[in-house]
Amino acid sequence: MTTCLTALSKKRLLLGITGGVAAYKAAELARLLTQDGIDVQTVMTQSACHFVGPVTFQSLTGNPVYTDLWEANAAHTMAHINLSRNVDMILVAPASADFIARLANGMADDLLATLCLARDCPIMIAPAMNRQMWENSATKRNLSSLQNDGVKIIGPESGAQACGEMGMGRMLEASELAETVRSAFQTGDLLQGKKVLVTAGPTFEAIDAVRGIINKSSGKMGYAVARAAMEAGATVTLVSGPTCLAPPIVDKLIHVVSADDMLRAVQAEIAQTDIFISVAAVADYRVAKASQQKIKKSDKKLSIELILNPDILMTVSTLPEPPFCVGFAAETEDLEKNAEIKRRKKNLPLLVANLAQDAIGSDESALILLDDAGKHVLSKAPKMEQARQLIKHISLLYKQ
Ligand code: C5P
C-alpha cells in the first residue's frame, strides 16, 4: 500500500452523500480514503443529514462539510463551480433513487446536484435503495442514461435490506468502494477509449428439455475482470453464461446459455473489439442430438453422444486481424506447462493460468500470467484484486 499512497496523496475527491440508510457506510468510506492520503471534500444533501451528521464527516476528513447551495454560495463565490472544479473525481455514495433521477435529468436543485452538473472530472455513483426501487423501470431508464453520459456505476449488490427485505440494492461495503476509488485513481485511464469484450461463467449444453451439462464455473473471475476493465475506463461488453451472481454494471450485457450462443454473441461484437478477454469456462463438448422432450427413465443404460464445441477464443485469435486476445486456463496438473502449450496453440499474447481446484467457485485465486516475456506470478488474493492487476498487465502489453 505504501507505493500507492504517494500517488493517492495528491488526489482530491468530492464525496457526495445522499439520503439513505447506507449513508452510515459513507463515514467509514471517508475514513478509509482520508487514511490513504486522499483529500476528501464532503457534500451532503438535506436528506443525507437526517441519517448522519455533517460533523462526523468534518471530523473524519478534516475538511468543512457543505450541505446547502445558498449557504455555500455566501461563503465562497460560485462554490458550486469551485468545489467540483478543484477535485479529480466525484463519488456519490450512497446514491439514492431520487438523486439518480435528478442526476440523469441534469437537475441542479441542490448543492450536490449542481456540483455534479458543473463538473469537468469523472463521476462514479454507488446506488443504494430498496429492491423494488432498483427494479423499477424508471430507475433502470435513469441508470442507462447515466451510463450513456459516462457516469460509472459501482454496485449495488444483493443482500438484506434495511426495510427487512432481501434483494438487489444494497450499497457495496466501504472497503470495496475505497478500493474502487484507489483503483480508479491509479488505473482510471489505462484503457480509456478501448473496447473490451469479456466472456464469463459456464456454458450450459442441453441434453433434453430439462437436463443439461454444465461445469462448476461461478462467473466470479469474469465478472471481476469486466468490472476492473470498466474501472480502467474501457467500454465493456460482457457475454455471460448462466450464473447465480448479479452481473456488474457494464456498457452492454449479453446473456447466453450454450457455447454456440456464446460464439454467436462474440462474433457479433468482435469487429468493434480492441481487447478480448475469454474468461468463460466454455464446455468443450455438446450433445449431438438434444431431445426436445424430457427423456424417459428406463431400465436400460443410456448413452449420449457428444460432439466438439467450437473453440470461441481460437476462432477469434486466428482471425486475419484479431483483437488483443487473453485466455484463461484452469488446469488440475502441470499448470504452467499445460497452460503454455495452450497459449501457443491458441496463438495468444497473454494467457492466465490457475489451478482449477483452487480457483473454481472461490473468492480468491492465485494466477500465473504467461506472455512472450515469460511468467508473472500473482500470489493468492481476492479475485477483484487479481482482475485489477491483470487489467494493468494487459494495458502494458497492449501499448507495446
Ligand atoms: O478449455 P480451455 O482450457 O481450452 O480454455 C482456455 C481458454 O479458451 C479460455 O480462455 C476459454 O474461455 C477459451 N475457450 C473457448 N472455447 C472453448 C474452450 C475454451 O473460448 N470451446
Side-chain angles (χ1 to χ4, degrees):
M1 188 58 66
T2 5
T3 41
C4 341
L5 275 183
T6 350
L8 292 175
S9 64
K10 295 192 184 79
K11 298 295 181 191
R12 302 190 74 198
L13 176 90
L14 192 151
L15 175 61
I17 301 168
T18 72
V21 180
Y24 81 91
K25 293 187 189 174
E28 173 66 357
L29 175 62
R31 190 187 70 78
L32 291 172
L33 296 173
T34 306
Q35 194 180 315
D36 279 344
I38 299 170
D39 184 19
V40 180
Q41 304 280 328
T42 313
V43 175
M44 300 174 70
T45 63
Q46 293 296 318
S47 323
C49 296
H50 290 292
F51 291 92
V52 272
V55 177
T56 305
F57 291 91
Q58 192 161 327
S59 314
L60 290 168
T61 65
N63 284 323
V65 173
Y66 300 95
T67 56
D68 190 285
L69 185 60
W70 307 109
E71 194 186 316
N73 270 337
H76 309 266
T77 335
M78 303 303 283
H80 61 294
I81 310 275
N82 290 334
L83 273 173
S84 55
R85 281 241 172 103
N86 295 333
V87 294
D88 300 296
M89 198 191 325
I90 299 177
L91 167 64
V92 182
S96 64
D98 172 72
F99 183 77
I100 286 170
R102 288 191 286 126
L103 187 63
N105 287 287
M107 307 281 279
D109 51 355
D110 68 5
L111 179 60
L112 184 57
T114 309
L115 287 169
C116 290
L117 197 61
R119 74 177 186 275
D120 56 6
C121 64
I123 178 169
M124 304 196 290
I125 61 168
M129 66 196 74
N130 159 273
R131 68 171 178 87
Q132 274 171 321
M133 288 174 151
W134 175 253
E135 279 155 22
N136 192 293
S137 53
T139 305
K140 285 188 182 151
R141 246 188 346 260
N142 292 332
L143 285 163
S144 157
S145 304
L146 289 176
Q147 258 187 301
N148 290 336
D149 294 344
V151 175
K152 293 265 181 261
I153 299 154
I154 322 162
E157 62 185 359
S158 182
Q161 305 205 309
C163 52
E165 293 178 10
M166 289 289 288
M168 276 296 280
R170 259 178 79 95
M171 187 172 86
L172 295 186
E173 294 306 319
S175 56
E176 241 191 293
L177 292 176
E179 195 46 52
T180 306
V181 170
R182 286 180 202 120
S183 166
F185 277 142
Q186 285 158 0
T187 69
D189 53 0
L190 282 182
L191 294 182
Q192 196 70 48
K194 299 287 172 286
K195 298 209 165 86
V196 174
L197 176 63
V198 180
T199 62
T203 63
F204 175 89
E205 310 298 329
I207 295 173
D208 66 13
V210 295
R211 304 177 182 100
I213 301 170
I214 195 158
N215 61 57
K216 291 203 307 194
S217 166
S218 63
K220 284 179 190 167
M221 192 66 216
Y223 285 7
V225 168
R227 208 175 125 194
M230 288 293 289
E231 285 176 11
T235 302
V236 177
T237 298
L238 172 62
V239 179
S240 175
T243 75
C244 298
L245 303 175
I249 297 208
V250 291
D251 296 285
K252 190 168 175 186
L253 173 66
I254 306 170
H255 284 292
V256 295
V257 176
S258 67
D260 251 346
D261 297 342
M262 189 172 272
L263 175 66
R264 269 196 298 276
V266 165
Q267 280 175 325
E269 295 294 318
I270 211 69
Q272 306 89 265
T273 298
D274 299 305
I275 300 169
F276 176 44
I277 313 177
S278 181
V279 195
V282 185
D284 291 322
Y285 298 93
R286 69 173 179 277
V287 178
K289 255 187 154 189
S291 166
Q292 295 296 311
Q293 306 303 329
K294 186 178 171 191
I295 299 170
K296 293 275 173 280
K297 190 166 120 183
S298 78
D299 300 338
K300 299 200 189 86
K301 259 203 315 195
L302 175 69
S303 298
I304 298 169
E305 189 192 350
L306 298 179
I307 54 170
L308 204 58
N309 260 335
D311 191 304
I312 303 170
L313 179 55
M314 207 146 87
T315 309
V316 173
S317 66
T318 52
L319 285 171
E321 286 184 38
F324 185 89
C325 287
V326 182
F328 266 72
E331 304 290 339
T332 51
E333 55 191 343
D334 283 339
L335 177 62
E336 262 179 74
K337 188 170 141 235
N338 287 331
E340 184 58 21
I341 293 171
K342 224 167 246 183
R343 187 176 87 86
R344 289 180 190 275
K345 182 175 167 215
K346 300 200 184 195
N347 194 27
L348 305 173
L350 176 62
L351 183 124
V352 183
N354 55 15
L355 274 178
Q357 53 271 42
D358 284 353
I360 293 182
S362 160
D363 289 332
E364 296 194 323
S365 63
L367 305 179
I368 302 178
L369 314 187
L370 300 168
D371 59 28
D372 291 339
K375 68 169 186 179
H376 314 260
V377 177
L378 300 182
S379 47
K380 197 167 182 169
K383 287 185 172 172
M384 196 58 226
E385 217 170 284
Q386 303 293 53
R388 289 183 179 119
Q389 293 299 330
L390 173 64
I391 291 294
K392 270 190 212 164
H393 194 76
I394 292 174
S395 75
L396 288 175
L397 294 182
Y398 185 77
K399 271 191 205 137
Q400 285 171 6

